[in-house]
Every structure is written in structure tokens, then in C-alpha cells.
Amino acid sequence: MDERQAVAAFAALGQEHRLRIVRALVTAGPDGLAAGALAGEVGVSGTNLSFHVKELSHAGLIRSRREGRSVIYSAAFTGLSGLVEFLMRDCCQGRPEVCTPAVEALAACLCTPGDTADA
């Protein structure tokens, strides 16, 4: 991820409903959530959800797919990982104890390699 992409991602996350959407989708995992369920969980109308997911999708943070008549949204784990990597790229500067809490928090994630919603 380059700086331009990171700025777009942070701008998209800089709104409370969008941040809630991403957190809900991360919690849901690769299977994602149907639009109606996601709107209910975040507390927005379907119209507002569409507006917010468009911004998050353009920033590369979420994906959507059709299953029958439903739209399923899921976190774009590759994009989210890229954002975290962008922030941590120059971490530590020879002082690994600075990054240890962040690394330990990520290591505690129950996700397994290959669990992505980017297909």
C-alpha cells in the first residue's frame, strides 16, 4: 500500500458508521454479512449502508458479492492488512519492544493464512 491508498483508506474509516461496518465485517470473517443484517448491526438504513459501503469499497477495505437476491459484504483482509503494514512498516527503529504490543495483538487473531474475503 502506498501513501495515497493509505490516505483514502483512513478517510473512509474516518466516519463512525464506516468504522462500525468494517469492524462488523472483520468480526463476521470471510463469509461476511448480508446487506440487511449489516445495516441492522451497524444501525443504518439500507440507503445509508449503500452510501457507506461504496466509500469503503473504493478504498479497498471491503468487498461485495451476490448470492441469489442478496448482496453479501465482507472485509477485504488484504486491504486491511496492507493498511496495518503501512502503519507498522518503519516500526521499532532498532527497538522491538515498541512494536511488541501490536505484534502480540495481531498474533492473537484466530484467522488462519488464506482466510481472505478478496476472492
Side-chain angles (χ1 to χ4, degrees):
M1 177 171 289
D2 62 26
E3 188 172 290
R4 181 188 55 76
Q5 293 167 314
V7 168
F10 283 120
L13 290 171
Q15 199 281 340
E16 99 183 75
H17 290 115
R18 292 184 203 145
L19 184 59
R20 287 182 190 162
I21 289 167
V22 170
R23 292 190 62 166
L25 293 175
V26 166
T27 300
D31 293 337
L33 292 170
L38 180 58
E41 188 164 325
V42 175
V44 298
S45 69
T47 303
N48 283 335
L49 180 71
S50 294
F51 170 76
H52 292 305
V53 297
K54 180 186 80 165
E55 294 297 318
L56 292 166
S57 180
H58 284 154
L61 300 175
I62 68 169
R63 303 277 188 249
S64 65
R65 67 184 185 280
R66 280 219 170 263
E67 286 186 5
R69 296 171 64 189
S70 297
V71 176
I72 308 297
Y73 293 101
S74 54
F77 290 101
T78 302
L80 291 167
S81 296
L83 187 58
V84 171
E85 191 271 330
F86 176 83
L87 285 174
M88 303 298 290
R89 183 177 300 146
D90 299 319
C91 182
C92 304
Q93 298 297 311
R95 296 178 46 214
E97 72 278 3
V98 173
C99 296
T100 299
V103 171
E104 287 176 352
L106 290 172
C109 178
L110 298 177
C111 299
T112 57
D115 275 355
T116 63
D118 297 329

